[in-house]
């Protein structure tokens, strides 16, 4: 059963989570211990990412295999960058051999040294291209896509970004996992847009609890998400009064309120961007008291 089908059948709020496999294999035992600790949240599924340009793709596949073999449904990220038909077929075959049957289809980020002009010569330019390829070449695979509640940093407008999300689903995606965001209205606006266009697939909101001012600045610069001015001022004030620990507490309490509003508004579950850290996720779940 695909992860999309699991979501459809589950019928009650759930947690899922994203992991980033360490590059150094010496760090894998500690990483897998973190994954095991987070099983206390009874996650419905997990996703495993890799670096820009597929720089850790082999690690991603091996880690995904190990997590899936432990009984937790797991999907691997799959990006357009550097991909061609032959390499994708080989990767999908390796996935099957390892018992992995779901992908999160993404355009991906260009590696350093590449320019937007490189996309023009690429065999796969958009996530929708990947979705169509997987549907055609591996119809047994489950396929999810990403969605931006706010505009993608490269989109000319929010309207065009919504259209890209719609096209990815229409290409055959079973569900959407959103990029991180801080204004729940953006999530509900995205869902409303898709429903108005007769798209009924689940849209799972992605949540990243703020852990430090430095980390949130870095993340925002990469993904282009918007942060409410009030929240940012609260984080700065917390940092001045209590340092990093105070910032984490403000970030955690904001995420708790965010999750409650999302679930009360009908979100099917919550996808936690874990940053491979168990303690904060466990504390967050304890505060939310998911029923």
């Amino acid at each position: 059963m695909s992860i999309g089908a699991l979501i459809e059948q589950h019928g009650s709020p759930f947690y899922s989570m994203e992991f980033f496999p360490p590059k150094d294999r010496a760090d894998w035992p500690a990483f897998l211990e973190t994954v095991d600790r987070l099983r206390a949240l009874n996650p419905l599924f997990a996703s495993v990412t890799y670096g820009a340009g597929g720089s850790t793709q082999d690690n991603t596949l091996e880690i995904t295999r190990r997590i899936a073999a432990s009984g937790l449904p797991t999907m691997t990220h799959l990006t357009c960058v550097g991909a061609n038909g032959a390499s994708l077929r080989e990767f999908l075959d390796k996935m099957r051999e390892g018992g992995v049957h779901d992908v999160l289809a993404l355009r991906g980020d260009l590696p350093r040294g590449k320019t937007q002009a490189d996309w023009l010569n690429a065999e796969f330019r958009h996530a929708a291209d990947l979705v169509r390829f997987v549907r055609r070449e591996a119809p047994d695979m489950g396929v999810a896509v990403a969605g931006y509640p706010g505009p993608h940093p490269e989109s000319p407008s929010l309207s065009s970004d919504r259209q890209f999300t719609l096209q990815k689903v229409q290409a055959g995606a079973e569900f959407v996992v959103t990029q991180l965001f801080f204004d729940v209205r953006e999530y509900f606006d995205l869902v409303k847009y898709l429903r108005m266009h007769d798209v009924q697939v689940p849209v799972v909101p992605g949540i990243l609890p703020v852990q430090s001012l430095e980390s949130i600045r870095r993340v925002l610069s990469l993904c282009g998400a918007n942060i409410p001015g009030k929240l940012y001022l609260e984080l700065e004030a917390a940092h001045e009064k209590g340092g990093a620990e105070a910032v984490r507490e403000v970030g955690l309490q904001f995420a708790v309120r965010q999750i409650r509003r999302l679930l009360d508004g009908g979100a099917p579950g919550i996808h936690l961007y874990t940053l491979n850290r168990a303690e904060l996720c466990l504390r967050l779940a304890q505060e939310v008291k998911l029923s």
Side-chain angles (χ1 to χ4, degrees):
M1 182 183 297
S2 70
I3 290 173
L6 283 176
I7 295 173
E8 293 280 6
Q9 291 189 8
H10 194 68
S12 60
F14 60 84
Y15 286 116
S16 58
M17 47 197 61
E18 178 177 285
F19 298 107
F20 193 104
K23 293 181 180 180
D24 190 342
R25 285 181 174 250
D27 297 325
W28 283 20
F31 165 76
L32 292 171
E33 182 179 342
T34 295
V35 175
D36 192 56
R37 289 186 65 196
L38 286 171
R39 287 179 179 277
L41 303 186
N42 193 28
L44 190 64
F45 67 91
S47 65
V48 184
T49 185
Y50 53 74
S55 58
T56 60
Q57 192 177 61
D58 289 341
N59 284 1
T60 292
L61 183 56
E62 180 59 28
I63 286 290
T64 305
R65 285 173 172 171
R66 295 192 185 194
I67 297 175
S70 70
L72 176 58
T74 309
M75 63 182 177
T76 179
H77 285 205
L78 190 65
T79 69
C80 294
V81 181
N84 57 60
S87 67
L88 287 178
R89 291 187 192 93
E90 181 181 1
F91 188 75
L92 293 173
D93 286 342
K94 290 180 179 178
M95 285 177 57
R96 286 194 194 90
E97 293 171 3
V100 180
H101 300 282
D102 291 87
V103 298
L104 178 61
L106 306 163
R107 192 202 68 170
D109 298 320
L110 282 172
R112 291 181 180 178
K114 299 292 184 178
T115 67
Q116 290 298 322
D118 292 302
W119 285 116
L120 300 178
N121 299 318
E123 185 173 342
F124 296 91
R125 295 176 56 193
H126 304 288
D129 298 333
L130 282 182
V131 176
R132 284 187 284 268
F133 179 87
V134 175
R135 282 294 180 221
R136 183 178 68 250
E137 300 290 332
D140 57 315
M141 289 280 180
V143 185
V145 292
Y148 273 73
H152 188 283
E154 296 177 19
S155 293
S157 68
L158 181 58
S159 175
S160 64
D161 203 69
R162 293 280 190 263
Q163 292 173 16
F164 280 126
T165 302
L166 179 63
Q167 291 166 9
K168 288 187 283 188
V169 177
Q170 291 174 334
E174 295 177 84
F175 68 101
V176 177
V177 177
T178 79
Q179 178 58 274
L180 66 96
F181 60 97
F182 297 98
D183 187 339
V184 297
R185 293 172 297 183
E186 293 179 337
Y187 167 81
F188 290 121
D189 285 347
L190 172 60
V191 174
K192 181 180 179 181
Y193 173 88
L194 293 174
R195 302 299 182 249
M196 287 175 58
H197 289 81
D198 297 320
V199 169
Q200 303 300 321
V201 301
V203 181
V204 186
I207 298 298
L208 174 70
V210 176
Q211 301 193 40
S212 71
L213 279 176
E214 293 75 16
S215 67
I216 198 59
R217 286 167 181 158
R218 183 171 61 254
V219 168
L220 293 176
S221 69
L222 292 172
C223 74
N226 302 309
I227 186 168
K230 182 180 178 181
L231 172 59
Y232 194 79
L233 291 175
E234 289 176 352
L235 293 169
E236 284 193 324
H239 187 266
E240 290 177 3
K241 292 180 180 179
E245 185 174 346
V247 170
R248 282 192 294 272
E249 186 63 26
V250 169
L252 183 139
Q253 294 304 325
F254 182 88
V256 168
R257 295 192 298 272
Q258 194 178 14
I259 289 172
R260 287 173 176 164
R261 290 181 63 190
L262 289 165
L263 296 178
D264 287 346
I270 300 296
H271 191 67
L272 294 176
Y273 290 104
T274 69
L275 298 182
N276 299 348
R277 297 180 181 178
E279 286 297 338
L280 189 64
C281 295
L282 292 170
R283 168 87 188 284
L284 181 64
Q286 183 181 31
E287 294 274 349
V288 171
K289 296 181 175 61
L290 184 66
S291 57

